[in-house]
């Protein structure tokens, strides 16, 4: 079995090539490859079945392990690649991020050849361990969805939930499917089930925040995001969602201010600027031009610039 295993080491700060080569030689006939960047790693992974183990640092010059797994569309249920995260030290926020990423194992500095050997033994045990029924059903569901057999995908997802009633993972993964589909009632029901089984389930708490944001229940969304962020502050996607939450919330607050006072110049100007960020250039021109005559000279130049840029970016005629 050892000769058939290819290891891809990604990163340059922890996974020093000379040291890793020395350690890997103690394991037997294993093939090792190296990628210094995320781009190079993705090229190495382009051939299906070419890599069985990834040992990755968290950050690269052009990305991160978090983004790499997203680009790979990797998940434990649908991939046969074993993921080991190499970290500088076992800090709780790093461990929390690793749990959110669902990596198989963590390799923390300082580590020696014996530590790498232990990781390989864990990989071998994982490889020989049969998949649980719910994992197989999730895999079948993802395959069915890819082939546009949507009814089969949904049936397999619910079968996965039924087959593991005490496990929060299938409920969470099925909830994410329905959240992406826009079916909020089913997604919310499944997320609540996952959180009943595991109240500290960070991914489910964060997904609940995403659901509330899309339902425009902004206070609930913020509460969920902050709760997840307090435990796992290194998730870049959640940080971006929190930015988008504030943008959406700010837009609604501006609209509320204008309903209460339609002549509120500052609220309408701010709304126009938010529209520009949201790439609603027609909205920007409409709102900012409405307040141009009433702006003080020092603000009028800024407003005219916004209008000009909006017209250019939106290809809008004067």
């Amino acid at each position: 079995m050892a000769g058939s295993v290819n290891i891809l080491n990604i990163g340059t700060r922890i996974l020093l090539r000379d040291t890793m080569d020395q350690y890997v030689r103690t394991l037997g006939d294993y093939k090792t490859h190296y990628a210094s960047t995320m781009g190079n790693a993705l090229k190495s992974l382009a051939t299906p079945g070419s890599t069985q183990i990834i040992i990755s640092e968290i950050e690269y010059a052009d990305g991160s392990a978090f983004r790499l797994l997203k680009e790979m569309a990797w998940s434990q249920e649908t991939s046969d690649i074993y993921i080991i995260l190499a970290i500088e030290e076992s800090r709780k926020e790093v461990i929390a991020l690793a749990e959110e990423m669902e990596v198989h194992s963590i390799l923390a500095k300082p580590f020696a050849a014996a530590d790498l050997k232990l990781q390989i033994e864990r990989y071998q045990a994982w490889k020989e361990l049969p998949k649980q029924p719910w994992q197989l059903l999730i895999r079948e569901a993802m395959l069915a969805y890819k082939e546009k057999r949507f009814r089969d995908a949904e049936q397999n997802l619910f079968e996965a939930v039924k087959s593991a009633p005490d496990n929060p993972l299938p409920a969470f993964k099925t909830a994410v499917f329905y959240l992406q589909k826009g079916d909020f009632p089913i997604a919310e029901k499944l997320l609540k089930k996952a959180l009943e089984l595991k109240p500290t389930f960070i991914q489910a708490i964060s997904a609940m925040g995403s659901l509330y944001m899309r339902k425009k229940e902004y206070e609930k969304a913020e509460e969920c995001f902050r709760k997840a962020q307090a435990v796992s502050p290194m998730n870049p996607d959640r940080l971006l969602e929190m930015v988008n939450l504030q943008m959406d919330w700010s837009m609604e607050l501006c609209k509320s201010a204008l309903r209460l006072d339609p002549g509120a110049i500052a609220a309408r100007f701010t709304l126009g600027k938010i529209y520009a960020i949201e790439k609603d250039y027609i909205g920007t021109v409409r709102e900012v031009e409405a307040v141009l005559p009433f702006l003080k000279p020092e603000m009028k130049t800024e407003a005219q610039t916004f209008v000009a840029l909006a017209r250019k970016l939106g290809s809008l005629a004067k």
Side-chain angles (χ1 to χ4, degrees):
M1 177 180 176
S4 65
V5 176
N6 290 305
I7 302 172
L8 177 62
N9 297 286
I10 310 173
T12 57
R13 291 192 302 176
I14 301 173
L15 303 173
L16 303 178
R17 185 164 189 155
D18 290 345
T19 303
M20 293 302 293
D21 280 347
Q22 180 183 344
Y23 290 169
V24 170
R25 278 196 293 270
T26 67
L27 303 175
D29 188 22
Y30 280 72
K31 295 180 180 179
T32 56
H33 308 273
Y34 294 87
S36 59
T37 65
M38 187 174 79
N40 289 338
L42 289 170
K43 289 178 183 177
S44 297
L45 294 163
T47 303
S50 62
T51 299
Q52 286 72 49
I53 300 174
I54 291 176
I55 307 177
S56 175
E57 298 175 11
I58 290 181
E59 299 174 356
Y60 329 124
D62 62 342
S64 65
F66 184 93
R67 188 60 49 212
L68 175 72
L69 297 189
K70 292 282 187 179
E71 291 290 327
M72 291 168 57
W74 179 87
S75 75
Q76 284 203 20
E77 292 72 43
T78 59
S79 176
D80 293 320
I81 300 178
Y82 190 82
I83 308 293
I84 301 170
L85 197 64
I87 63 176
E88 291 281 357
E89 57 181 325
S90 296
R91 294 182 287 120
K92 61 181 182 180
E93 58 266 32
V94 177
I95 303 300
L97 177 65
E99 290 179 358
E100 285 204 80
M101 292 167 62
E102 298 185 5
V103 301
H104 296 94
S105 190
I106 293 173
L107 183 64
K109 287 181 63 178
F111 58 87
D115 300 304
L116 186 57
K117 181 180 179 182
L118 177 60
Q119 295 289 340
I120 297 302
E121 290 172 352
R122 288 175 178 169
Y123 160 74
Q124 292 171 341
W126 168 82
K127 190 68 176 176
E128 295 168 5
L129 189 69
K131 295 281 188 183
Q132 297 182 41
W134 73 266
Q135 292 174 310
L136 295 172
L137 286 163
I138 294 287
R139 182 183 287 235
E140 285 297 318
M142 295 302 101
L143 177 62
Y145 182 79
K146 187 176 181 180
E147 295 175 349
K148 298 185 178 181
R149 293 183 288 110
F150 303 122
R151 185 172 297 179
D152 290 343
E154 294 187 40
Q155 183 177 347
N156 282 322
L157 286 168
F158 276 108
E159 287 297 324
V161 176
K162 290 179 183 177
S163 70
D166 298 323
N167 189 332
L169 274 170
F172 164 70
K173 291 180 180 291
T174 304
V176 170
F177 173 87
Y178 280 98
L179 179 58
Q180 293 172 342
K181 185 182 176 183
D183 194 329
F184 301 147
I186 294 180
E188 185 169 5
K189 182 178 179 180
L190 288 163
L191 286 172
K192 286 180 177 178
K193 175 180 174 63
L195 288 168
E196 285 174 7
L197 294 169
K198 185 181 178 182
T200 58
F201 193 175
I202 297 303
Q203 296 99 307
I205 294 170
S206 193
M208 190 68 85
S210 300
L211 183 145
Y212 285 137
M213 184 171 76
R214 293 179 66 178
K215 291 174 65 178
K216 298 188 177 183
E217 297 181 27
Y218 299 122
E219 291 185 14
K220 290 182 179 180
E222 183 178 46
E223 182 182 354
C224 290
F225 286 146
R226 290 192 181 280
K227 186 176 181 180
Q229 200 66 8
V231 177
S232 181
M234 294 178 65
N235 184 321
D237 280 2
R238 182 164 51 250
L239 288 168
L240 181 58
E241 276 209 278
M242 293 175 76
V243 171
N244 290 331
L245 167 64
Q246 296 303 322
M247 291 299 302
D248 290 351
W249 201 349
S250 297
M251 184 181 293
E252 290 301 317
L253 289 172
C254 283
K255 290 178 179 178
S256 295
L258 288 169
R259 282 193 290 270
L260 294 170
D261 180 5
I265 295 173
R268 195 170 296 282
F269 188 21
T270 301
L271 180 60
K273 289 192 280 187
I274 293 173
Y275 277 141
I277 296 171
E278 296 288 331
K279 297 183 180 180
D280 181 352
Y281 301 120
I282 294 176
T284 296
V285 172
R286 180 185 66 245
E287 302 299 337
V288 177
E289 284 192 337
V291 299
L292 262 175
F294 310 103
L295 293 176
K296 294 179 180 179
E298 60 269 23
M299 294 181 65
K300 189 167 288 189
T301 300
E302 179 188 359
Q304 289 169 334
T305 301
F306 264 98
V307 171
L309 285 172
R311 288 192 180 279
K312 182 177 181 179
L313 293 170
S315 300
L316 305 177
K318 291 185 179 181

